[in-house]
Amino acid sequence: MSKDYYKVLGVERSASEADIKKAFRKLAHLHHPDKSNGNAEKFKEINEAYQVLSNKEKKSQYDQFGSTFENNGFNQGPFQGGGFDFSGFQNANAQGGGFSSQGANFDFDLGDIFSSFFGGATQGRSRRRRGSDIQLDIEVTLKEAAFGVAKNIKIRKQDICQDCQGSGAKDGKSFSSCQQCKGSGQISTTILGQFRTQTICPSCQGAGQVIKEKCSNCGGAGNIWREQSLKVEIPAGIDDGQSIKLSSQGNSGPNKAPAGDMYITVHVLPNEHFERQGFDLFSEQKIPFATATLGGEINVHTIDGQVKLKIPSGTPSGKKFILRNKGLTKINSKNRGDQVVSIQVAVPTKLSKKQKQLIEELHKELGQESKSWW
């Protein structure tokens, strides 16, 4: 396991989803690149750990395979952890493949074998280094989180140089053939005088050519820093701390390499009227003592606006009413959660002499009625 994501977030392996989320938010706030003492690399590492540990499927794979779980094909095929299985080549000589069990002629490309095990690590054309990822934070209101919203943002990021079209060469044409690989992009190597393998040319990174004269606009990098506008769609029902991945919207890579990705962490601002639990909303509503006693209708604030709520006579403080489909929209669905309204009866504290007398009379009458019940 090359990375311990639990150590990165400072949590135990038995940590709950809530603990993982809490640890991520604390560290993300501490190391955010926009802060004067922020650390972009640390922030990226924290986000990487959170993206894995907050996803049940990825977390399960990570716990089993480690940080290389996305390439866990080692459990399949000819490599089973006990060595290489060359049984697939035992008839190669009979089929004209040039393989001899006597060791006289090993004329196959060992890179093909390694490629089948390690995803082509020793063979192929240019292994261009993709651009770096970008991490952003966006704040939305509870209402925006409930129904979704499109946010226009401005960001300064690396983009392809238009003068050289990302090639890094002057006018996009100033190239010469690579002298080390003679333009092939690959270097052949013989191991033990028997095995031949091919690796990417370190001089041209598999391109077969090198820049003769660098682009004056980007200095040969193939990209430049540019401010761009971007429209981000925030899905309805998104929760605080969740991230949105925009593929290929990160920094562009050098020499026409693929761009990185953009990760946008959404922060839902607190709301004075509601408390959120999943897709449900909880609120409190004060009602007059008379309304609680005699019943009536009251206006209740919801995420959609004011609605009428009927209060039965004799409603006690703490009574809860459920407003169906007045919560947040559920992600990837048209359904919504509910709103739970908790009633708080406002008991009068300053009464006139007449009001006190009326209440005392009511108390006596209710007292007589309660005696008759027994």
Side-chain angles (χ1 to χ4, degrees), residues 6 11 78-79 87-88 90 92 95 207 224 259 269 272 293 319 364:
Y6 292 99
V11 297
F79 181 78
S87 59
Q90 61 185 0
Q95 297 173 359
I224 59 174
L269 297 171
E272 61 178 332
T293 305
K319 174 71 175 180
K364 289 179 181 178

Side-chain angles (χ1 to χ4, degrees), residues 134-355:
I134 295 176
Q135 169 68 45
L136 291 178
D137 291 85
I138 286 184
E139 290 184 341
V140 298
T141 64
L142 182 63
K143 188 170 184 177
E144 289 173 334
F147 302 113
V149 65
K151 290 283 189 178
N152 292 314
I153 62 174
K154 286 187 176 182
I155 182 173
R156 190 170 182 269
K157 67 173 186 174
Q158 287 182 313
D159 195 15
I160 293 176
C161 174
Q162 297 302 313
D163 287 11
C164 66
Q165 296 299 310
S167 68
K170 183 178 180 180
D171 300 326
K173 301 176 182 178
S174 185
F175 293 99
S176 62
S177 179
C178 177
Q179 294 300 309
Q180 186 171 354
C181 65
K182 307 303 180 183
S184 69
Q186 297 180 348
I187 301 295
S188 296
T189 305
T190 302
I191 303 175
L192 301 177
Q194 301 281 354
F195 301 97
R196 186 181 73 250
T197 185
Q198 290 183 320
T199 56
I200 298 169
C201 174
S203 295
C204 65
Q205 295 299 308
Q209 55 185 5
V210 294
I211 296 175
K212 187 176 180 181
E213 188 175 354
K214 293 181 179 180
C215 171
S216 59
N217 188 39
C218 65
N223 50 46
I224 59 174
W225 287 97
R226 180 181 290 125
E227 187 174 88
Q228 297 183 11
S229 296
L230 186 67
K231 186 176 181 180
V232 180
E233 296 288 345
I234 308 297
I238 195 165
D239 202 353
D240 182 58
Q242 287 186 325
S243 293
I244 301 169
K245 178 183 177 181
L246 302 180
S247 299
S248 302
Q249 291 296 325
N251 291 315
S252 63
N255 302 318
K256 296 185 178 181
D261 301 323
M262 182 180 294
Y263 294 92
I264 300 176
T265 302
V266 178
H267 301 282
V268 182
L269 297 171
N271 186 286
E272 61 178 332
H273 299 291
F274 308 105
E275 178 184 343
R276 176 180 180 175
Q277 293 185 22
F279 299 107
D280 295 331
L281 294 175
F282 291 77
S283 64
E284 290 187 353
Q285 185 73 41
K286 286 187 177 182
I287 63 172
F289 177 75
T291 303
T293 305
L294 304 175
E297 269 191 348
I298 62 170
N299 289 321
V300 175
H301 186 76
T302 73
I303 201 86
D304 298 285
Q306 297 283 341
V307 299
K308 296 286 187 181
L309 176 62
K310 186 175 182 180
I311 303 296
S313 59
T315 296
S317 190
K319 174 71 175 180
K320 290 180 172 57
F321 294 88
I322 298 178
L323 303 180
R324 299 294 182 189
N325 299 313
K326 290 299 181 183
L328 281 80
T329 304
K330 297 181 180 180
I331 292 181
N332 300 324
S333 172
K334 294 182 179 180
N335 298 325
R336 294 176 59 180
D338 302 324
Q339 179 176 336
V340 180
V341 182
S342 179
I343 297 298
Q344 301 298 318
V345 179
V347 179
T349 56
K350 295 182 180 180
L351 298 173
S352 65
K353 187 176 181 180
K354 184 178 180 180
Q355 290 172 331

